[in-house]
Amino acid sequence: MTKLFEKYDLSEIEVSDKGLERYINLEPVVVPYSGGRKSNQKFKSDIPIVEQLINKLMRTHTNTGKKYRAYRIVKKAFNQIHQETGENPVQLLVNAIENAGPREGTVRLKQGGISIQKPIDISPQRRVNTALMLIAKGAKQNSFKNKKDIVDCLADEIIKASKSDMDSYAVSKKEEKERVAKAAR
């Protein structure tokens, strides 16, 4: 049986949000690294969800192109999550994605020289991508000019987002986006 990082079983992970089930890839792999084989595809739902998180961590200027560094950050954060909670960290990541992905957003339309915001429903693929981006961005911002390193901040962000805690950067940004969309109705 293949386990992620040779520790975490992906067969027991449940996605409670049926809309996101198709877009969260829980394919069992030992090392989440596709080597860019799927980089030309328009939708990245074939890439394992842990590798998508690693790729989102590489977007900051300190980690650009440093996949092994981002891999080590995620691996250490998962170990820390497992030690703190005793649960499967991939299940907590899936719960965090479900809680941090905004369901509604806004687009700016120009009508007669003025721009107005119009609420729209967000697709499940975009919800997953936005949630992962917000989790990675929240961990990066919390570790900046702080004694805690990125590993601790990523572990805290995933745990808080999985519990829908408003102290989480990802959940608070999701609520802000949905509040703006509700006001634009």
Side-chain angles (χ1 to χ4, degrees), residues 10-43:
L10 298 180
S11 64
E12 60 191 31
I13 306 299
E14 286 185 22
V15 181
S16 60
D17 191 341
K18 296 298 179 189
L20 298 180
E21 195 169 33
R22 213 173 107 195
Y23 300 96
I24 296 178
N25 186 355
L26 296 170
E27 180 181 309
V29 291
V30 177
V31 178
Y33 183 66
S34 62
R37 288 185 297 274
K38 299 172 179 163
S39 63
N40 291 333
Q41 294 178 356
K42 186 173 182 180
F43 300 110

Side-chain angles (χ1 to χ4, degrees), residues 13 38 54 75 77 79 87 96 115 119 125 134 140 151:
I13 306 299
K38 299 172 179 163
I54 291 170
K75 187 174 180 179
N79 288 337
E87 296 180 41
S115 62
Q125 179 70 53
L134 289 174
K140 175 67 177 152
V151 174

Side-chain angles (χ1 to χ4, degrees), residues 57-72:
L57 283 174
M58 288 195 320
R59 294 186 78 162
T60 60
H61 68 279
T62 54
N63 291 339
T64 303
K66 299 176 182 173
K67 185 126 184 180
Y68 188 65
R69 178 186 282 179
Y71 170 81
R72 283 194 330 242

